[in-house]
Amino acid sequence: MSSELQQEKKRGKILVVDDEPAIRSICSRYLSSRGWDVDTACDGEEALAKILDRDWDIVITDIKMPGLDGVQLVEKAKAEKPYIEFIVMTAYASVDVAVKAMRSGAYDFLLKPLDLEQLQLTVDRCWQKMQLREENELLRLANERLRELHQLKDKFLAITSHELRTPVSNIKSFAEFLMEDKELSPQERAEFLKILKRNLDELEAVVEDMHAIMAAESGGLALTLEPHDVNESAERVVSELREAAESRKQTLELDLADDLPTVPADALRLRRALRELVQNAIKFTPDGGRIVVRTSCRDGEVVLEVEDNGIGISPREQERIFEKFYEVQDSLYHTTSKTAFKGGGIGLGLNIARAIVEAHGGKIELESEEGKGSTFRIVLPIVMPKESVHVVSGFPALRVETAEFEQN
């Protein structure tokens, strides 16, 4: 098969509309022989029904037809499917009508009686225009994606330079104190060691977040699923973060439902997701506020809920808080803390939390009102969906390894 014929075979779908059977037959046979997928319609009404029922690349239509004429067909079809290209056919005496059709969105017109060579040239030009339009759209999307990546890079550099530089600087300074100042008291030395440990923990957390992102994007973040009682995860996370909440004079409460069914879950990663939500609530709830972690069951799903009476989230920010590296604060005024009021971070916590939950076949719901607080809900299925790989927003794939167990 020649390369020219192979190219023809890759062509698209054409609908030929004419009330003359001979015109329909000639156009259909000629275009089909050149690789087009061709169908016909005998009038405007039939053509419009076929256009609405199926996607077409090009419609070649006569202008003078009983009922719905060619110009009306162009107008009605373009209103529903503007991407379809129209070529209209008309006699010499109706060129002005053809011009009207072009003003309504037709690409070009052909004069009757038809010249098959001219038909082929016009259709080929139209197809080339469509291919160019598609390529331009792909380029536009690629450029848009590049701009987004450039913005992410700038934000990443702004935040991580602070996240990495601050603990490294502190570690260096206090290590030098410990090495050079021989007159430090045991209490001072112990305090310096605590500061070193705290900064090393911060560095480790940044590295773990970055590792989680890279692993997820390469399909390497595996979930090992086993029957799990979400009340256990709620209790452990609240126990871990109670001291942080109390340091802010916040009340961190548990409200656990009885007799919850187990869910298929990777307990370690599920706790990571819940921990991010609770830490987020602590950071964006003023001192003295109240945070409640509760569990419940609804319609074959188990729900882990984190409710706070904090500052809330604006509708505009609700669309963005799950983005990578997104921080409510301007990165120029970034301050690092997992618990301080409006404390900053690397901006990956909620993104990772959502990825983990979606990998479990679940979802995160959010209700929030500025000045009144927020409620995040982790919603998990009691029965794991059959798919073992879940494509989630921002992550190509997460691998799921399901352990052998009986479902409730």
Side-chain angles (χ1 to χ4, degrees), residues 136-155:
N136 287 339
E137 177 63 13
L138 290 174
L139 285 173
R140 186 191 68 79
L141 292 174
N143 286 331
E144 187 175 302
R145 180 58 178 158
L146 284 173
R147 284 195 296 272
E148 290 174 358
L149 290 173
H150 185 71
Q151 291 171 353
L152 279 177
K153 180 205 72 174
D154 290 345
K155 186 167 288 189

Side-chain angles (χ1 to χ4, degrees), residues 67 88 102 212 221 273 314:
V88 295
M102 293 180 67
L221 184 58
S314 71

Side-chain angles (χ1 to χ4, degrees), residues 6 22 28 34 55 61 126 137 162 224 251 256-257 294 312 355 378:
Q6 287 177 339
S28 176
R34 280 152 178 75
D55 282 332
T61 181
C126 183
E137 177 63 13
H162 185 279
T224 301
T251 302
L256 305 181
R294 64 171 56 90
I378 295 175

Side-chain angles (χ1 to χ4, degrees), residues 164-236:
L164 295 173
R165 185 178 295 141
T166 299
V168 167
S169 178
N170 288 339
I171 290 169
K172 181 180 179 182
S173 297
F174 284 99
E176 289 174 350
F177 269 118
L178 288 170
M179 292 173 63
E180 297 174 4
D181 195 332
K182 308 300 183 183
E183 299 181 0
L184 287 173
S185 68
Q187 293 82 6
E188 289 174 324
R189 188 172 294 275
E191 183 62 29
F192 282 11
L193 288 172
K194 286 182 181 179
I195 294 173
L196 283 173
K197 175 65 165 56
R198 185 170 65 248
N199 281 274
L200 285 169
D201 288 343
E202 291 177 5
L203 274 179
E204 184 182 36
V206 172
V207 172
E208 286 182 354
D209 282 350
M210 295 306 302
H211 175 74
I213 288 292
M214 295 303 295
E217 294 193 341
S218 63
L221 184 58
L223 301 181
T224 301
L225 304 179
E226 296 179 340
H228 179 62
D229 179 0
V230 298
N231 282 347
E232 177 187 335
S233 283
E235 289 173 341
R236 288 187 59 171

Side-chain angles (χ1 to χ4, degrees), residues 259-274:
D259 301 323
L260 279 180
T262 60
V263 297
D266 184 320
L268 184 65
R269 295 201 184 278
L270 181 60
R271 283 196 289 273
R272 167 70 188 275
L274 180 60

